[in-house]
Amino acid sequence: MYWCAGLSALRAGEFTGFEPNSAWSPYAKSNITAILKDARLIKGTFEENLAEAPDSIDLAFIDAIHTPEFVDTQLNLVLERSHKGTLIVLDDIRFSTEMSDYWLQVRDDARFSAAFEFTRRVGFLEFSG
Ligand SMILES: C[S@@+](CC[C@H](N)C(=O)[O-])C[C@H]1O[C@@H](n2cnc3c(N)ncnc32)[C@H](O)[C@@H]1O
């Protein structure tokens, strides 16, 4: 919603989100479209609805299932649609020992030109293109 407020203020850019939980999806949609009326909230998983994802992503927020396998799958799908400078934000990077180990590995991955961690919770990756 914060980012949608930025897009709304700029009158530029697009937002697409994915939520498979059918009980939560309508709330996510109404909250987000209250901020940015053209925001798209897809009811379903990201992986099963790639056709709905933008061809070119500037900023991605990954905050679904906090396991390395799951995050890595989504990260790679995002990278297929990324360009030099795309920013990818991972939430709950210290969710578990496995996620902490994954973060330490991915932050040194040569595909990223920069990586930093904020408040031991959020990881930022800049795609090198
Ligand atoms: C930790 S919550 C975070 C929700 C939201 N980002 C927030 O901060 O309020 C994780 C969300 O990811 C959704 N989710 C689970 N699997 C997903 C998938 N494959 N693709 C997209 N979203 C998924 C869940 O239904 C849940 O709403």
Side-chain angles (χ1 to χ4, degrees):
M1 290 172 74
Y2 182 78
W3 288 336
C4 284
L7 295 178
S8 181
L10 285 171
R11 296 186 186 173
E14 296 172 1
F15 174 93
T16 304
F18 299 84
E19 175 50 66
N21 185 309
S22 55
W24 299 342
S25 181
Y27 293 105
K29 184 168 186 163
S30 64
N31 284 338
I32 288 172
T33 56
I35 304 294
L36 181 69
K37 74 173 172 45
D38 294 330
R40 298 173 67 236
L41 203 287
I42 308 302
K43 189 170 143 190
T45 67
F46 173 57
E47 306 89 296
E48 291 171 333
N49 291 280
L50 289 172
E52 302 289 348
D55 292 336
S56 179
I57 298 174
D58 298 321
L59 173 62
F61 181 50
I62 298 178
D63 180 25
I65 309 293
H66 302 304
T67 65
E69 298 73 21
F70 203 93
V71 175
D72 199 55
T73 299
Q74 292 198 329
L75 175 62
N76 284 311
L77 291 170
V78 166
L79 291 181
E80 288 174 9
R81 290 158 179 76
S82 295
H83 52 80
K84 181 177 168 57
T86 291
L87 194 61
I88 299 136
V89 185
L90 307 180
D91 199 15
D92 290 321
I93 53 174
R94 303 286 182 184
F95 184 79
S96 63
T97 306
E98 292 75 20
M99 274 305 300
S100 289
D101 291 345
Y102 174 73
W103 167 248
L104 295 179
Q105 172 199 319
V106 80
R107 73 175 185 186
D108 291 332
D109 190 313
R111 292 175 296 176
F112 305 111
S113 45
F116 72 95
E117 180 176 338
F118 182 64
T119 66
R120 289 185 58 79
R121 174 171 175 175
V122 183
F124 292 78
L125 299 167
E126 183 188 54
F127 187 45
S128 55

